[in-house]
Amino acid sequence: QVQLVESGGGLVQPGGSLRLSCAASGGIFSLNDMRWYRQAPGKQRELVATITRGGTTNYEDSVKGRFTISRDNAKSTVALQMNSLKLEDTAVYYCNADATPPPRTYWGQGTQVTVSS
């Protein structure tokens, strides 16, 4: 079993920055792709960013140029640096990771990000 623990959510003003972190822990495991999702009230959960074990990244169009996903394989962590935040970035952000054994996808509990003036 793998547990994902998120931190860094909170309230930030438009144009501000916030850094989310997610730490994986548990038994013996290997982390593969790691992701950040978000879900705003009344909306479907959407994929924000993905990072492979080797560091290749992909971003949702709406966050390109503003968000940066990174990982530290030695620490089993993934982070999301969020810059130039907009009101529409307000959502619960979820850490997600593929791990083995067995092949399985894990989710964090979610952390609230609120962009408001």
Side-chain angles (χ1 to χ4, degrees):
Q1 286 284 341
V2 175
Q3 292 181 317
L4 302 179
V5 180
E6 298 153 319
S7 62
L11 177 65
V12 65
Q13 294 181 329
S17 297
L18 204 61
R19 183 179 178 87
L20 306 182
S21 296
C22 173
S25 63
I28 299 174
F29 60 86
S30 294
L31 295 169
N32 297 308
D33 288 4
M34 303 185 78
R35 311 169 187 88
W36 286 97
Y37 285 79
R38 68 185 180 186
Q39 186 168 26
K43 293 185 170 58
Q44 290 185 289
R45 188 172 299 183
E46 66 175 350
L47 178 62
V48 176
T50 301
I51 185 167
T52 69
R53 184 173 182 84
T56 301
T57 59
N58 288 101
Y59 299 92
E60 167 66 31
D61 287 343
S62 65
V63 307
K64 286 182 179 177
R66 300 189 298 120
F67 291 9
T68 302
I69 188 171
S70 61
R71 67 190 289 167
D72 186 332
N73 290 334
K75 297 180 179 179
S76 298
T77 59
V78 62
L80 185 68
Q81 179 66 46
M82 309 164 67
N83 299 327
S84 302
L85 284 162
K86 304 175 180 179
L87 296 179
E88 52 264 41
D89 294 320
T90 295
V92 177
Y93 284 71
Y94 296 90
C95 179
N96 172 280
D98 294 337
T100 56
R104 183 174 176 178
T105 298
Y106 295 86
W107 292 88
Q109 79 287 348
T111 184
Q112 178 69 49
V113 172
T114 302
V115 184
S116 177
S117 57

